[in-house]
Amino acid sequence: MKTYKISLFIIILMGMIFIATSDPMKSLYKSSASIIAGLNTDNKDENKNKEKYLICIDPGHQEKGDWKGEPIGPDSPYQKARVSSGTAGISTKKQEYVLNLEASEILKHILISKDFDVIMTRESHNVNISNMERATFANDKNANMVIRIHADGSDDTSITGASILIPSQKGKYTSSIFEASYECAKLIKDKMDAGGFKVNGIFERDDLTGFNWSKVPVVLVEMGFMSNYNEDEMMSNKDYQKKMMQSIADGVEEYFKTN
Ligand SMILES: [Zn+2]
């Protein structure tokens, strides 16, 4: 009786193996695999065709300022230096253009992880790109938003906090990009407030070459004051940088979800 049971078990087992490896099963397996593969391909195509928003990040300044003049707006008789070298850290002695690029690279990676396309006006220090050229770069690439990253300096070492600058509503060149810039700036400010950062406010400017030449909505974030010992140190802290850039990226993401 025992031998009979074992033999029966072996026969059933062999039968199951035969069925599993037989052609009908193989083709069933193959067809279900290709259905799954087909679904995956469809998803990939969908992602590929999905329109991605293009963000241009402009890390402020560069290694050497260029004091030659350029018009502050299209057809403007007024000129300003093509690009200045920025401020420097009172404690870290770091140059602003170095800090700006450190933070901008972090912002770039966070935005890419949020499925944005990102272009940068510069990714090295030894360049010569004027503020007008930075604006027209974003225009020519049809960017959807420009984020300019800077840090502040003041003779008063007690002044702290971030500031958000946007093109002026009544500016001769910028009235058409004011609304979108302001909406995005508000959302960035909300996220920075929620992240625990001190934001002094959103300020309209009609005197910035980089705004006046822009056809793209643009927000400039002054991350804080390099002239304040504590804030200067904090802004060079990688975790602090990541947290602030996360807030800015969250604000940008929120803008494109709601607008
Ligand atoms: Zn600056």
Side-chain angles (χ1 to χ4, degrees), residues 173-239:
Y173 310 104
T174 51
S175 53
S176 64
I177 55 169
F178 164 78
E179 194 65 41
S181 305
Y182 177 62
E183 288 304 319
C184 188
K186 261 198 314 196
L187 293 166
I188 290 173
K189 182 181 180 298
D190 288 350
K191 298 290 181 182
M192 287 179 78
D193 287 340
F197 296 102
K198 177 188 171 190
V199 183
N200 295 324
I202 299 171
F203 304 98
E204 291 178 39
R205 297 283 294 264
D206 63 7
D207 60 329
L208 299 184
T209 309
F211 284 176
N212 290 340
W213 284 91
S214 189
K215 292 182 167 62
V216 177
V218 47
V219 177
L220 187 156
V221 180
E222 298 273 11
M223 299 179 283
F225 282 82
M226 296 184 91
S227 44
N228 177 270
Y229 279 89
N230 187 40
E231 207 157 68
D232 178 34
E233 287 288 337
M234 283 196 301
M235 282 191 289
S236 266
N237 178 292
K238 277 278 167 274
D239 291 335

Side-chain angles (χ1 to χ4, degrees), residues 5 12 16 52 62 138 141 149 167 174 176 182 195 214 248-249:
K5 270 189 182 168
I12 290 169
M16 282 170 72
K52 283 191 182 186
Q62 60 195 28
K141 300 279 184 190
I149 299 294
T174 51
S176 64
Y182 177 62
S214 189
I248 295 173

Side-chain angles (χ1 to χ4, degrees), residues 108-158:
K108 176 180 106 173
H109 287 111
I110 299 173
L111 285 171
I112 288 171
S113 75
K114 288 181 181 292
D115 218 23
F116 286 98
D117 281 333
V118 177
I119 49 172
M120 308 270 286
T121 56
R122 69 176 180 97
E123 284 193 275
S124 58
H125 301 310
N126 186 20
V127 295
N128 191 353
I129 318 164
S130 79
N131 286 311
M132 178 189 82
E133 288 161 353
R134 291 167 195 238
T136 51
F137 171 76
N139 296 343
D140 293 345
K141 300 279 184 190
N142 290 315
N144 298 103
M145 183 66 66
V146 176
I147 304 293
R148 304 175 67 191
I149 299 294
H150 281 255
D152 250 329
S154 169
D155 291 337
D156 182 347
T157 59
S158 69

